[in-house]
Amino acid sequence: MKKTILTGDRPTGALHLGHYVGSLRKRVELQNTGEYNQFILIADLQALTDNAENPEKIRQNIMEVMLDYLAVGLDPEKSTFVIQSTQPALLELPMYYSNLVTMARLERNPTIKTEIQLRNFQRDIPVGFMTYPISQAADITAFNANLVPVGNDQLPMIEQTRDIVSAFNRIYKTNVLVEPKAIIPDNESASRLMGTDGNAKMSKSLNNYIQLKEESEVLKKKIMGMFTDPNHLRVEDPGQVEGNPVFTYLDVFSTEELFKKYCADYANLEEMKDHYRRGGLGDVKVKRLLNDVLQDILAPIRERRKYYEERKPEIIDILKDGAAKARMITDEVLDNVRSAIGINYFNDKSFFETYIDKK
Ligand code: TRP
């Protein structure tokens, strides 16, 4: 039987390069092997956990995220797109799972910790936000997902899911829930792409991101404004490559082929780095190369996005079909879960027998 892949994004803004190298690129690759059933979840409920006052933002970004998906080459013929809130199971399962998770366990989740800091939540953190790892476990298990392609920051969510699955199956003496595995990029820098400002993570809230839909001129401006090595003041100065976002991006995006196409002065990226380290290579030249490389990668994505922007009614149909297809799976998992716990009363003959006098 084909393995199932489930992954997703919060619809809080257009997707950026961090999403692309962390997960989107891998999804397209996995999709095109034809070896998996792949579901892509638009996690509107998760987005609401810290946007309760702003549902309009989420409504608008569902289409944004869909356009980005289609633009990078996810194909509705091969992958299924599902809006999270269309699946009742995703609201009910967390109720059962939350009884299997302690507060201490939630508080230890390193991604949640960082996100709490980033949002400046203290004790006024919404309960829904604090418990979204449980909701995400529902997302993953409701599709019987075996594999979850994600960036590094999502590993704690997969761990939490695995813990819930093993607790559930043990306590209710069943095997209805499938234990998922994460797939993370092999390239460390890709797994957690740094921001254009050198901050550890590219993110919308830090305003250090490059969107997939970025117009060519804006892209160039963002690249030319990127942070580099602060001690590399004059061209002659020796420069540092490690932790320098321009070189980190080149590591992630510049293939051998692209390097050859846009840089004739060096045999490969390593030679260019050596020159930078020695001194004598200016930032502008390196940035120009990065600009060429990223323009090359993003141009077809931007074009495909424009194509789909003219076809929004089709996209709505894709989402409707996805919701219906997903229901068949998530409803069944929910039913199995209820039966395993023993609360599927009316489908359970032994439940009635308990109450009927045996003569
Ligand atoms: N937490 C993910 C993010 O912030 C989004 C997400 C929601 C997700 N449900 C998921 C990812 C299930 C993988 C699987 O990007």
Side-chain angles (χ1 to χ4, degrees), residues 194-201 208 226-227 243-245 249:
M194 62 167 64
T196 53
D197 59 355
N199 193 297
K201 195 180 170 187
N208 62 3
M226 273 175 78
F227 179 92
N244 181 330
Y249 284 18

Side-chain angles (χ1 to χ4, degrees), residues 6-10 41 43 46 132 136 139-140 148 150 154:
L6 180 281
T7 177
D9 304 274
R10 297 179 196 171
L41 191 75
Q46 191 174 114
Y132 91 70
Q136 193 159 330
D139 300 342
I140 295 168
V148 189
V150 281
Q154 293 298 305

Side-chain angles (χ1 to χ4, degrees), residues 42 64 188 320:
I42 302 179
E64 281 293 306
E188 179 64 26
K320 276 191 197 158

Side-chain angles (χ1 to χ4, degrees), residues 97 100-101 133-134 137 160-169 177:
Y97 295 172
L100 310 177
V101 180
I134 301 175
Q160 176 70 84
T161 305
R162 292 166 61 89
D163 284 359
I164 289 173
V165 168
S166 71
F168 188 95
N169 287 345
L177 296 184

Side-chain angles (χ1 to χ4, degrees), residues 195-254:
T196 53
D197 59 355
N199 193 297
K201 195 180 170 187
M202 177 174 282
S203 109
K204 187 147 184 275
S205 35
L206 296 170
N207 196 20
N208 62 3
Y209 60 94
I210 293 175
Q211 290 181 333
L212 291 170
K213 67 170 183 181
E214 222 76 85
E215 287 299 337
S216 159
E217 277 313 300
V218 182
L219 174 60
K220 181 161 183 201
K221 226 174 108 196
K222 288 195 172 181
I223 292 169
M224 296 321 277
M226 273 175 78
F227 179 92
T228 60
D229 171 6
N231 298 317
H232 185 243
L233 295 174
R234 290 166 308 167
V235 172
E236 313 84 75
D237 292 339
Q240 190 166 328
V241 165
E242 286 69 34
N244 181 330
V246 181
F247 278 104
T248 303
Y249 284 18
L250 281 172
D251 274 334
V252 172
F253 294 102
S254 169

